[in-house]
Amino acid sequence: MTQPQGIPRGSAETVQILLVDDHPLFRQGLAQLINQESDLEICGEADTARQALTLAERLSPTLAIVDLTLEESSGLDLIRRLRSLHPELRILVVSMHDEMLCAERALRVGARGYVMKREAAECVLSAIRTILAGEVYLSERVRARLRPIGDSPGGGEGTSPTTVLSDREFEVFQMIGQGLTPRQVAQQLHLSVRTIEAHREHIKKKLGIRSAAELLKYAIHWNQEERG
Amino acid sequence: MTQPQGIPRGSAETVQILLVDDHPLFRQGLAQLINQESDLEICGEADTARQALTLAERLSPTLAIVDLTLEESSGLDLIRRLRSLHPELRILVVSMHDEMLCAERALRVGARGYVMKREAAECVLSAIRTILAGEVYLSERVRARLRPIGDSPGGGEGTSPTTVLSDREFEVFQMIGQGLTPRQVAQQLHLSVRTIEAHREHIKKKLGIRSAAELLKYAIHWNQEERG
DNA sequence: AGCTCGATTAGGCGATTCACCTAGGCCCCC
DNA sequence: GGGGGCCTAGGTGAATCGCCTAATCGAGCT
């Protein structure tokens, strides 16, 4: 029961939902919550990006719920690939990361909503129904934040990793903050070690950091404070 | 169904377990997993420390499963209070934080086991049964790090950098935690870079840490929270 | 339409660091 | 006197760092 797999019940009446998360217990809780709704149904579960792509192909769900931090690959990458292979697939991100930091990135690569894991169960159901209705689901906080698009280029004080770094750079920054070596990051993202090192150099330049040790220290602290 | 509360079924045959976690979905997944076992039963759920203390008093469970990061209070504090009010209550920590950084702390305040949330569901059940059998549950990695003591009786003073590391090693450990490179440490201590590297290797061996990145992560966190 | 600019990817190269090994001088304890 | 831990430091091969160049691509400016 806890192994991820596709178990289509074949109901034409229920909305088919694919669940992508590498936390078995969380997946189970979410599955039970959703299956309690008479019009929603988990049609498959995946704990890796590869498995998610396979199941999306085989089950062609209406909605996919994906975690941003998978074991072997980036959640953002998975969303991009899902969107390009299945343009009509709606994607809801359910992540433990702070929405203020990641929601905008998730939307940019094609997600239709973002819910934090610490949120109440009702939020997930609300998000699902909002997205199924064709709208975008975000918390009030993030919605307020996304309205003003004004930035201050030049020497502004907006030197936060979230605003200055590009998507890829931010991704690498986070993985560095988890104590991963360049080699480990490269393997997880399926990139060359040199690419990761190049990203790291760009991050250092943007944040005004000189040594790799300093960057690691900064990334660790930042990662620690900005999540539940 | 998703609201935390005490619902004692009153079975004298099953082990009563109190669940303390502020993530509703995770709590639900964990509850379902545990209730599938015929001899285990979730007798109550709490999402705050206050509620946990109330339910522990009312339900007097055999085991409590608590998350380290609750909304309004520290999980460590909760464990301390639970232990002092109910000395026979066994406590299992299930946290999303890295075990290398938190497991020892949790054990010192009275927990009997530590499982990371990213671990498989089976690990939680193993941990529960190990603790019910009167033993301590830890991952192989953490156990390896805590092993070298072997002689401390009674109070169980753990393996903290302060007690295991020599003076010089601890000094180097602290400077590493400040994000200094080996070269910088060497210059500051008027020693060869090789000596610093040797110290670092010894520190890693003593603490059961494999890579320099992991050591840096551990050192930064330890320096941050200070006084193990 | 042409052009710049940033993002992403990746390789080269010399210096540095990593991980694992040996080793001498020191001090303490059995 | 013989372990054993501590502090020091070198050797070696692999990996990483820091600083280059560079191709591709899309977005935006002229």
Side-chain angles (χ1 to χ4, degrees):
Chain A
M1 275 298 265
T2 61
Q3 288 307 310
Q5 51 191 327
I7 318 174
R9 276 193 275 167
S11 284
E13 305 295 328
T14 61
V15 175
Q16 302 292 297
I17 300 178
L18 174 63
L19 197 47
V20 187
D21 193 312
D22 60 344
H23 291 64
L25 287 175
F26 187 81
R27 225 164 46 217
Q28 189 162 347
L30 195 48
Q32 203 193 1
L33 171 77
I34 289 173
N35 283 331
Q36 277 172 2
E37 301 292 300
S38 58
D39 57 336
L40 306 179
E41 178 185 353
I42 298 295
C43 63
E45 299 183 12
D47 61 358
T48 66
R50 189 168 26 256
Q51 199 174 8
L53 290 167
T54 302
L55 290 181
E57 182 67 37
R58 189 195 305 161
L59 306 172
S60 53
T62 303
L63 180 77
I65 298 178
V66 340
D67 185 2
L68 272 192
T69 51
L70 301 174
E71 296 251 325
E72 302 184 353
S73 153
S74 147
L76 288 178
D77 252 2
L78 172 60
I79 295 174
R80 275 194 212 95
R81 281 192 276 174
L82 281 174
R83 289 284 300 172
S84 74
L85 294 174
H86 312 278
E88 53 329 304
L89 173 63
R90 312 279 173 85
I91 295 173
L92 169 62
V93 171
V94 178
S95 167
M96 79 179 126
H97 292 66
D98 192 321
E99 53 189 353
M100 302 295 275
L101 307 174
C102 307
E104 190 184 341
R105 278 170 217 286
L107 291 200
R108 261 208 303 274
V109 298
R112 307 295 292 269
Y114 191 103
V115 176
M116 280 191 294
K117 282 188 176 179
R118 74 175 70 124
E119 226 71 62
E122 289 71 29
C123 289
V124 179
L125 292 179
S126 296
I128 291 174
R129 302 206 181 280
T130 301
I131 291 177
L132 289 179
E135 297 169 41
V136 166
Y137 182 91
L138 285 176
S139 77
E140 195 48 60
R141 277 173 67 214
V142 176
R143 224 175 303 145
R145 161 69 75 93
L146 289 189
R147 243 177 271 279
I149 317 180
D151 357 331
S152 52
E157 200 57 35
T159 314
S160 151
T162 29
T163 61
V164 181
L165 267 40
S166 70
D167 286 350
R168 206 46 148 179
E169 287 162 354
F170 183 66
E171 220 170 343
V172 172
F173 176 77
Q174 282 188 303
M175 296 174 80
I176 288 175
Q178 287 162 21
L180 301 180
T181 67
R183 176 158 299 269
Q184 292 173 307
V185 175
Q187 283 173 348
Q188 272 196 39
L189 296 181
H190 308 294
L191 293 173
S192 159
V193 178
R194 319 310 312 280
T195 304
I196 304 303
E197 291 181 313
H199 282 313
R200 184 161 44 67
E201 288 306 314
H202 293 152
I203 293 169
K204 279 164 53 185
K205 188 160 294 182
K206 284 185 177 181
L207 298 181
I209 290 174
R210 276 163 193 79
S211 76
E214 242 183 295
L215 173 60
L216 183 46
K217 181 187 171 189
Y218 183 70
I220 287 175
H221 272 132
W222 195 90
N223 260 30
Q224 192 66 14
E225 291 166 11
E226 304 296 342
R227 66 172 63 174
Chain B
M1 273 298 264
T2 61
Q3 287 308 311
Q5 52 192 326
I7 318 174
R9 277 194 273 169
S11 282
E13 304 297 326
T14 60
V15 175
Q16 302 292 296
I17 300 178
L18 174 63
L19 197 46
V20 187
D21 192 313
D22 60 344
H23 292 63
L25 288 174
F26 187 81
R27 225 165 45 219
Q28 189 161 346
L30 194 49
Q32 204 192 2
L33 172 76
I34 290 174
N35 282 332
Q36 278 172 1
E37 302 292 300
S38 58
D39 57 336
L40 306 178
E41 178 185 353
I42 297 296
C43 64
E45 299 183 14
D47 60 358
T48 67
R50 189 167 27 256
Q51 199 174 6
L53 290 166
T54 303
L55 290 182
E57 182 66 36
R58 189 195 304 161
L59 307 173
S60 53
T62 303
L63 180 77
I65 298 177
V66 339
D67 185 3
L68 271 192
T69 50
L70 301 174
E71 296 250 326
E72 303 183 356
S73 150
S74 149
L76 290 179
D77 254 1
L78 172 60
I79 295 174
R80 273 194 215 97
R81 281 193 275 173
L82 282 173
R83 289 285 300 171
S84 74
L85 293 173
H86 312 278
E88 54 327 305
L89 174 62
R90 312 278 174 86
I91 295 174
L92 169 62
V93 172
V94 178
S95 167
M96 79 179 124
H97 290 65
D98 193 324
E99 55 190 350
M100 299 295 280
L101 304 172
C102 306
E104 189 187 338
R105 240 173 271 279
L107 290 201
R108 258 208 303 278
V109 298
R112 306 295 293 269
Y114 192 104
V115 176
M116 281 193 292
K117 282 187 177 180
R118 72 176 71 122
E119 226 72 62
E122 289 71 30
C123 289
V124 179
L125 291 179
S126 297
I128 291 175
R129 303 209 179 279
T130 301
I131 291 178
L132 289 178
E135 297 168 40
V136 167
Y137 183 91
L138 287 176
S139 77
E140 193 48 62
R141 278 177 71 217
V142 175
R143 221 176 307 143
R145 188 158 72 76
L146 296 187
R147 223 192 302 270
I149 338 161
D151 54 301
S152 63
E157 203 61 31
T159 306
S160 113
T162 12
T163 61
V164 181
L165 267 40
S166 69
D167 289 347
R168 204 53 150 171
E169 286 163 352
F170 184 67
E171 210 170 352
V172 173
F173 176 78
Q174 283 188 302
M175 297 175 78
I176 288 175
Q178 287 160 21
L180 301 180
T181 66
R183 176 161 298 268
Q184 291 174 307
V185 176
Q187 283 173 350
Q188 205 159 321
L189 296 181
H190 307 294
L191 292 174
S192 159
V193 177
R194 317 310 312 283
T195 305
I196 304 304
E197 290 182 307
H199 282 313
R200 184 160 44 65
E201 289 304 315
H202 294 153
I203 293 169
K204 278 164 52 185
K205 189 160 292 182
K206 283 186 178 179
L207 298 181
I209 290 174
R210 275 162 193 76
S211 77
E214 244 183 295
L215 173 60
L216 181 49
K217 185 181 168 190
Y218 183 72
I220 286 176
H221 274 114
W222 197 92
N223 267 26
Q224 192 70 10
E225 296 169 19
E226 260 160 341
R227 309 308 169 277

